[in-house]
Amino acid sequence: MMAEAGGKTRVVFNLTQATPYGISSNGKALTVTFKPAAAANTTASGVAVSTTAANNPATAMDRGQTIDFRRAEDGSGRLLIQTSGPNTPMKMRREGSNIIIDLPNTRVETGRFDVKDFATPVENVDVRPMGNGSRITLQTRNAGEHLAYQTDNRLIVEVKAVPQNQGAQNVGEKKFTGERLTLKFQDIQIRPLLQLIADFTGNNIVVSDDVKGSISLRLENVPWDQALDLILVTKGLSMRKNGNVMYVAPTADIVARDKAELEARQQTQQLAPLVTDIVQINYAKADDIYKLLEDTSKTRQGAGAGTEGKGASDSAQRFISDRGNITVDSRSNSLIITDTASALDRIRDLVKKLDKPVRQVLIETRIVIATDNFARQLGVRWGVTGTGTGQGNTYMASGNANATDTMVNNVASGVAPGIPALANRFNFNTPISGAPTGGLGLAILGSNVLLDLELSALQSEGSGEIVSSPKVITTNGHPALISQGTEIPYIATQTAGGVASNTVSFKKAVLSTEVTPQITPNNNIIMDINVKKDEPDYTNMLPGTTNPPINTREVKTKVEVKNGETVVLGGIYQFQNTNTVNK
């Protein structure tokens, strides 16, 4: 790899291993000669040691370097390998779900490590010897991109997880989409490094004179924009891009430049002429639009009041500038605005988006009260009436004392006892309530005895249905209420100072529907609905009063329905079974 900047040229050779080299010049030609590496001796422990460069840490064989595994804040797995030098040879590739790292001249502690408990895409780390080096296999699951970079004597391999939602990006998270590249440099100047990245991406680059220094880095298989971001962050630099031109300078210079531009823009706004215009509001209320503009401008102004350098930005984002003024004409439903031309354009654009006709919703509710009655009754009445004499006495028997009294009076008058009235002749009298639908009567009259018997039966069935159907129409997002009924007066007696006084209060017994609709983007309707049906029950008034109880039926819920669809909100099923026996 070759790079030229500032009248200097840098040539980088990527070698598979450290080897001796020589440099010679002949006129304008420069020759670099690489000599074969010396043979390595193998010790009894199996660790190869170079015989010509044993004291050079860049070429000396690493003896059992340690590794570590950690979990990053974003959930990715990081494998940390300690090396003896900052430029350790390495090859990395992916085979299926495994990531294989070959370290030709680095011997790492062998073994198989289970790292599932770290909750990263890496499940196992398998380290095996390979020639004079080691091979590390990372067994992954749901792994995304992977990259490797080296800082001083530490080699870091990072494996990221596949995002659950490829289209989502957390606030403040950087997303890199550039073409991937590999950079391996030792103590390279920043300016030619930036030029290399610009050449790779095809972008133009302008570098400030204050950008200086050098950096050592090892980045493998990383997006170019991420590599650029790492370089800028490491050296305290920032970048601004305009088209395909990148401007790189120290962060402090970039901040000072942005601040100067904002202050100049704010000063331009302060000197801009004021224009007066009338904005007609067609569907909304001018007062509502005015309050929205005022509240939005005050909120932005208050948020930026305590932050240095934010004034120009806030002024650009606020709808009303510091010099602007708005007056509401309620008669014509208009806004009279005095402000700069740019502020007027912002306000007109906002009004155009907000001042639209609001859709309406017609809600019809039906309250159905169904009753089903069934009754069955069986009645019996029987009695025995008779007279008799013996031992000079007269005996009489019948249904009650009224019957026997009538018979005694007749005998005392010298006439026959006679037959009492039917109602007084029954010894057992349990008739049905109401008119019977079927019956049987039997009377047996003997010489001195009369037997009366009556059987009656009743079976009734009844069903009823009461339907109430209130309707109401309202605009989207606005509550609506419709009610119909009566107010029942209640008299209460209060005693104060020994004097009683009556006060009258009223309680409502109404049929009402209260609903707030919300139209969704797919034309469904979400409703907060409250349906109530109250009615007085005059059949169950308290004794001695004219105050009836109020039967209440109410349902309050929130539902989503399709346009034109009917939904059942709820219901109450009440069953009452009564069995009465009179003996």
Side-chain angles (χ1 to χ4, degrees):
M1 180 179 294
M2 299 181 63
E4 188 277 337
K8 297 181 180 180
T9 302
R10 176 181 289 266
V11 180
V12 179
F13 298 92
N14 291 327
L15 305 178
T16 58
Q17 62 181 0
T19 182
Y21 64 93
I23 302 176
S24 61
S25 61
N26 185 8
K28 295 184 178 181
L30 184 66
T31 303
V32 180
T33 305
F34 296 94
K35 298 180 180 180
N41 295 330
T42 303
T43 64
S45 62
V47 180
V49 181
S50 174
T51 58
T52 60
N55 297 325
N56 188 346
T59 60
M61 181 60 58
D62 298 333
R63 295 177 176 269
Q65 299 295 338
T66 60
I67 64 173
D68 191 9
F69 189 85
R70 298 177 184 177
R71 185 180 189 274
E73 294 181 357
D74 59 354
S76 59
R78 289 180 179 175
L79 180 67
L80 290 77
I81 306 172
Q82 193 71 24
T83 64
S84 62
N87 193 20
T88 302
M90 181 199 71
K91 293 181 181 180
M92 183 170 62
R93 67 184 186 276
R94 188 165 192 165
E95 294 182 358
S97 61
N98 295 335
I99 299 175
I100 299 176
I101 306 159
D102 290 336
L103 303 172
N105 296 325
T106 302
R107 182 66 59 84
V108 184
E109 294 179 355
T110 61
R112 182 177 177 86
F113 309 98
D114 187 349
V115 293
K116 295 187 182 70
D117 293 341
F118 287 88
T120 69
V122 182
E123 294 187 341
N124 293 285
V125 179
D126 189 18
V127 183
R128 293 288 181 266
M130 185 189 68
N132 293 331
S134 299
R135 170 170 288 183
I136 303 176
T137 303
L138 304 181
Q139 297 179 357
T140 65
R141 181 179 181 183
N142 298 329
E145 63 179 9
H146 61 279
L147 57 93
Y149 54 93
Q150 187 167 1
T151 303
D152 295 331
N153 293 347
R154 174 173 289 183
L155 178 64
I156 302 174
V157 179
E158 184 171 346
V159 182
K160 296 183 178 294
V162 176
Q164 295 181 356
N165 186 356
Q166 296 288 350
Q169 185 176 3
N170 296 331
V171 177
E173 180 183 356
K174 295 181 180 180
K175 186 176 182 180
F176 303 104
T177 59
E179 186 178 352
R180 294 180 177 272
L181 53 73
T182 297
L183 298 175
K184 300 178 182 179
F185 292 105
Q186 180 71 24
D187 197 25
I188 185 175
Q189 294 294 320
I190 294 295
R191 300 176 70 88
L193 179 59
L194 296 175
Q195 184 62 48
L196 280 175
I197 296 178
D199 293 340
F200 179 81
T201 61
N203 291 318
N204 299 316
I205 188 168
V206 177
V207 182
S208 172
D209 294 337
D210 296 329
V211 177
K212 301 176 181 178
S214 60
I215 187 173
S216 298
L217 74 161
R218 179 190 181 113
L219 301 175
E220 186 152 346
N221 194 33
V222 298
W224 71 264
D225 47 355
Q226 184 178 10
L228 178 61
D229 182 74
L230 289 172
I231 295 170
L232 297 179
V233 171
T234 303
K235 303 303 293 184
L237 305 175
S238 295
M239 181 196 68
R240 293 292 182 267
K241 190 172 183 180
N242 186 4
N244 66 339
V245 178
M246 296 185 297
Y247 173 70
V248 179
T251 302
D253 295 348
I254 294 289
V255 172
R257 177 187 172 187
D258 292 344
K259 182 178 179 181
E261 289 181 357
L262 293 175
E263 291 176 352
R265 190 181 308 166
Q266 184 181 25
Q267 187 175 6
T268 301
Q269 292 180 353
Q270 294 294 334
L271 299 176
L274 297 180
V275 181
T276 300
D277 197 0
I278 298 177
V279 178
Q280 178 67 46
I281 308 300
N282 298 318
Y283 302 102
K285 292 183 178 180
D287 287 332
D288 295 340
I289 300 295
Y290 168 76
K291 292 178 182 178
L292 178 63
L293 293 172
E294 284 288 331
D295 293 343
T296 305
S297 298
K298 289 179 180 178
T299 301
R300 291 189 180 275
Q301 185 177 11
T307 305
E308 183 181 359
K310 293 288 186 178
S313 176
D314 291 334
S315 297
Q317 295 178 357
R318 283 157 37 201
F319 294 104
I320 305 174
S321 67
D322 296 335
R323 302 161 59 202
N325 180 50
I326 297 180
T327 304
V328 178
D329 183 13
S330 302
R331 184 184 61 83
S332 61
N333 199 38
S334 302
L335 297 177
I336 304 173
I337 305 174
T338 300
D339 211 328
T340 61
S342 59
L344 283 174
D345 292 339
R346 292 196 301 269
I347 294 174
R348 281 190 173 277
D349 183 64
L350 177 65
V351 171
K352 184 179 179 180
K353 294 179 180 178
L354 297 180
D355 189 25
K356 294 182 179 180
V358 182
R359 290 188 289 179
Q360 299 184 117
V361 181
L362 174 64
I363 300 101
E364 177 181 358
T365 58
R366 292 187 179 182
I367 304 174
V368 180
I369 303 175
T371 58
D372 188 5
N373 301 323
F374 175 80
R376 176 182 294 172
Q377 299 183 40
L378 182 64
V380 178
R381 295 197 299 174
W382 67 270
V384 177
T385 301
T387 61
T389 59
Q391 298 179 359
N393 297 321
T394 301
Y395 303 97
M396 286 166 284
S398 188
N400 54 34
N402 292 330
T404 56
D405 181 65
T406 301
M407 298 170 67
V408 169
N409 291 333
N410 290 336
V411 172
S413 300
V415 297
I419 300 175
L422 177 63
N424 295 327
R425 297 202 303 267
F426 291 115
N427 301 98
F428 186 78
N429 190 7
T430 56
I432 63 175
S433 60
T437 57
L440 173 65
L442 176 64
I444 301 176
L445 179 62
S447 58
N448 294 322
V449 178
L450 173 61
L451 176 63
D452 295 296
L453 175 63
E454 179 188 70
L455 298 176
S456 59
L458 172 65
Q459 179 173 313
S460 62
E461 296 182 10
S463 61
E465 183 175 314
I466 302 175
V467 179
S468 304
S469 182
K471 297 181 182 180
V472 64
I473 187 171
T474 182
T475 57
N476 181 30
H478 287 75
L481 172 65
I482 183 173
S483 64
Q484 182 268 333
T486 182
E487 290 190 352
I488 304 172
Y490 284 81
I491 300 176
T493 302
Q494 297 180 350
T495 303
V499 179
S501 61
N502 295 331
T503 58
V504 180
S505 60
F506 292 87
K507 293 186 178 180
K508 291 184 177 181
V510 298
L511 167 66
S512 65
T513 297
E514 184 177 3
V515 61
T516 302
Q518 176 187 346
I519 303 176
T520 62
N522 58 351
N523 287 327
N524 289 352
I525 302 171
I526 300 175
M527 295 184 294
D528 290 310
I529 188 168
N530 184 14
V531 182
K532 182 185 295 186
K533 180 176 175 60
D534 300 337
E535 56 184 0
D537 186 4
Y538 290 101
T539 61
N540 293 317
M541 290 190 299
L542 295 176
T545 66
T546 59
N547 300 336
I550 298 177
N551 296 331
T552 300
R553 298 177 179 89
E554 182 179 8
V555 58
K556 184 177 182 180
T557 185
K558 183 174 185 177
V559 296
E560 179 178 359
V561 297
K562 295 182 179 179
N563 185 21
E565 187 178 62
T566 301
V567 62
V568 178
L569 299 181
I572 298 176
Y573 178 76
Q574 184 176 1
F575 178 78
Q576 183 176 1
N577 185 9
T578 303
N579 187 9
T580 303
V581 178
N582 295 326
K583 296 182 179 181

